[in-house]
Amino acid sequence: MVIERCAVDDGWRIPEELWERVEPLLPPERPHPKGGRPWQPARQMADAIFYVLRTGCQWKALPRSLGAPSTVHDRFRDWVEAGVFRRLWECGLVEYDERVGIDWEWQAMDGAMTKAPLGGESTGRNPTDRGKQGTKRSLLVEGRGVPIGLAIDGANRHDMKLVERTLQSLPPARPTPTPEQPQHLCLDKGYDYAAVRQTVLDFGYTAHIVPRGQERQAKQHVPGYRARRWIVERTHSWMNRFRRLLIRWEKKVDHYLAFLHFACAWIAFRAATVIAPPVQRAA
């Protein structure tokens, strides 16, 4: 019982402001013409899904105060099929852009690998983990680190192979780069290929791929120097705080992407709240 109270009272519920954005995106509840158990409140189901995302617990380990594990998982599956979490991320980006403004000038992309012991779609042998099954997420962030693009594949997939898919996942509101307002994309040495440079150019970016040797020299001669792409590495660290993302337990790629989109939405909404001044609400 103590664990259940902690799960409810100590910050594992989604904030009211975020729930106000989630609720309009939810599909209508299916009718029960033949009776049966009534549907559990959607807010309770959202809190339970968020609890799994933050703690990384198994579905069967959910505190009963948050709902029956099978019920929560069924609702999660329904919301995945309805595209709720992807649209929530898009809504977060819209709000962040309205309140703060997406920094399109300097963007950064990088990949991160995660264990996937159960295998499944978009997994592969991790060459840095003795060939064990893993998955890779390719993340694109704007100038302050808010995620604006995402793609996943097997851990054996090279970063350069995910560039186009990651850029294609950008929100439709991206402005067209111009000579007066260019858009720069920072990448590490692993992307230093002619094909990558051409793809980046096709999307209207100016590529910045700095070899690590030059970075080491800059660190020696420029006090406090950090490569511009550190911003995406920090965002990967933010995402790893959602413990469900540290190890991929989902065999279905759509379910894993849903958790990633939920985390991206949380980061976007939080950035809009922390960076921007609070919105004055009418009494």
Side-chain angles (χ1 to χ4, degrees), residues 3-196:
I3 295 178
E4 293 189 4
R5 286 201 299 270
C6 291
V8 173
D9 298 335
D10 292 345
W12 299 114
R13 292 188 183 276
I14 61 176
E16 190 64 33
E17 294 80 3
L18 183 56
W19 169 244
E20 292 176 359
R21 277 71 169 182
V22 174
E23 190 173 18
L25 304 177
L26 301 180
E29 297 182 357
R30 293 194 299 268
H32 293 274
K34 297 183 180 180
R37 295 181 179 179
W39 275 55
Q40 294 297 313
R43 173 62 192 269
Q44 181 180 334
M45 298 295 98
D47 287 336
I49 294 169
F50 186 66
Y51 181 89
V52 172
L53 174 64
R54 289 301 298 266
T55 66
C57 75
Q58 299 177 2
W59 291 105
K60 293 182 179 180
L62 270 172
R64 292 293 298 184
S65 61
L66 292 176
S70 59
T71 302
V72 176
H73 186 267
D74 288 344
R75 194 71 63 90
F76 172 73
R77 184 184 57 199
D78 291 343
W79 291 356
V80 170
E81 293 176 356
V84 170
F85 301 100
R86 169 73 192 197
R87 288 188 288 141
L88 180 63
W89 178 25
E90 293 172 351
C91 290
L93 290 177
V94 169
E95 181 163 335
Y96 173 72
D97 194 25
E98 292 175 349
R99 301 184 65 175
V100 180
I102 295 176
D103 183 358
W104 296 103
E105 183 178 4
W106 287 99
Q107 301 170 42
M109 182 191 301
D110 198 11
M113 288 186 285
T114 301
K115 295 177 182 293
L118 300 183
E121 302 168 310
S122 295
T123 62
R125 294 186 177 276
N126 188 341
T128 65
D129 191 21
R130 296 176 293 175
K132 295 181 180 179
Q133 289 294 313
T135 191
K136 176 178 289 186
R137 67 172 182 254
S138 176
L139 192 65
L140 176 70
V141 302
E142 51 89 59
R144 299 182 189 88
V146 173
I148 57 177
L150 175 70
I152 67 170
D153 211 322
N156 56 338
R157 193 72 164 173
H158 198 284
D159 287 339
M160 65 169 291
K161 299 292 186 180
L162 293 174
V163 172
E164 184 172 0
R165 285 171 50 195
T166 307
L167 294 177
Q168 287 174 343
S169 68
L170 276 164
R174 178 200 172 199
T176 302
T178 64
E180 295 75 22
Q181 294 182 325
Q183 295 183 22
H184 305 272
L185 182 58
C186 301
L187 305 161
D188 64 19
K189 185 181 178 181
Y191 295 90
D192 195 4
Y193 294 89
V196 173

